[in-house]
Amino acid sequence: MPRVLLIEDDQAVRDGLRLALTYQGHTVDAVETGEEGLARLAGDPADVVVLDLMLPGMDGFEVCRRIRAAGDLPIIMLTARNDDIDVVAGLEAGADDYVVKPAQARVLEARIRAVLRRTGGEPRSADAKLGPERHGDLTIDREGLVVSKHGTVIGLAPTELRLLLELSSAPGRVLSRQQLLESVWDQGYLGDSRLVDACVQRLRAKIEDDPAKPVYVQTLRGFGYRFGPL
């Protein structure tokens, strides 16, 4: 069963979500602080982290950055309100998705399963090719799920990797934010386009020589994003 690490300081919320997710079939480890969560991950890895942003001591933003710096573990953040600043800051810190409190268990469960589907399977593009692809200085191995530049492997978070795979499956093709939400995040018309923009920003920081002048992931204002042309 998927293992969930829940980091939430409100005991009532923590106990409620732990019971609900356990009922849905997850193995749930629940802790109160970010420090506890990081220590737990060091000794007992999880499949996904559900992280409250407003924590005592080390806040959720810093916890998110540390988890992301250590690897590609999927992170879903809990935010107390649908606040643009909190949401964008959390996404830029490396979160893959977010749920606004009060978090309904069925919504959180759906987001967990969606992020696990995105990060646990093969790329879904029908245009996927066998063998590594060369795009300028970037090499993409779709079968091995490895991206490198100048021969050096680039560490990408799961959502960043899926975004790159989707965009690069047809260089020059323009994809709207809505199309990317549906193909990368498994979210329909109610999806939040900030997920796409924040992920693009993180991806550019890792693969572009100059993120302010992107070569690989380009913006077509008013339409969306495309990969290249190089």
Side-chain angles (χ1 to χ4, degrees), residues 7 11-12 18-21 27-28 50 62 73 80 85 102 151 161 170 177 181 198 205 217 223-224:
I7 307 176
Q11 183 173 350
R18 176 171 51 190
L19 287 173
L21 292 175
T27 299
V28 182
V50 177
E62 180 61 23
L73 183 64
I85 295 176
L161 177 59
R177 290 172 174 81
L181 278 170
V217 181
F223 293 93

Side-chain angles (χ1 to χ4, degrees), residues 5-205:
L5 174 62
L6 172 62
I7 307 176
E8 166 62 64
D9 65 311
D10 187 310
Q11 183 173 350
V13 174
R14 187 171 65 248
D15 290 346
L17 290 178
R18 176 171 51 190
L19 287 173
L21 292 175
T22 300
Y23 179 79
Q24 293 291 338
H26 297 285
T27 299
V28 182
D29 193 4
V31 298
E32 185 175 358
T33 68
E35 291 85 350
E36 288 181 276
L38 293 173
R40 196 65 56 90
L41 285 175
D44 191 12
D47 296 307
V48 61
V49 174
V50 177
L51 172 65
D52 183 23
L53 289 182
M54 308 309 293
L55 295 171
M58 184 187 300
D59 66 24
F61 300 102
E62 180 61 23
V63 175
C64 185
R65 282 190 286 268
R66 294 194 184 194
I67 294 174
R68 182 57 66 235
D72 58 6
L73 183 64
I75 303 169
I76 298 174
M77 60 181 179
L78 299 175
T79 177
R81 58 191 186 282
N82 193 8
D83 185 281
D84 286 351
I85 295 176
D86 283 354
V87 170
V88 172
L91 294 172
E92 290 179 349
D96 295 287
D97 206 342
Y98 75 95
V99 174
V100 177
K101 289 183 176 180
Q104 298 184 34
R106 67 177 185 276
V107 173
L108 181 57
E109 157 68 9
R111 295 294 177 87
I112 289 174
R113 294 202 176 276
V115 76
L116 290 175
R117 284 198 303 271
R118 297 198 297 265
T119 59
E122 293 294 320
R124 292 174 295 178
S125 171
D127 297 321
K129 304 174 184 178
L130 296 177
E133 304 169 10
R134 292 293 301 274
H135 301 278
D137 298 324
L138 204 65
T139 300
I140 301 175
D141 182 350
R142 293 181 182 274
E143 290 190 331
L145 299 180
V146 175
V147 177
S148 59
K149 189 173 183 180
H150 302 301
T152 300
V153 174
I154 300 173
L156 297 177
T159 307
E160 297 163 4
L161 177 59
R162 289 193 65 86
L163 177 62
L164 178 60
L165 292 174
E166 185 68 26
L167 287 169
S168 64
S169 65
R173 178 185 60 177
V174 179
L175 293 174
S176 68
R177 290 172 174 81
Q178 186 58 45
Q179 288 174 307
L180 292 170
L181 278 170
E182 293 173 359
S183 60
V184 177
W185 278 267
D186 293 330
Q187 292 190 19
Y189 69 96
L190 293 177
D192 190 335
S193 63
R194 291 173 297 187
L195 294 169
V196 180
D197 295 336
C199 192
V200 166
Q201 182 178 349
R202 299 199 311 262
L203 180 60
R204 283 174 173 166

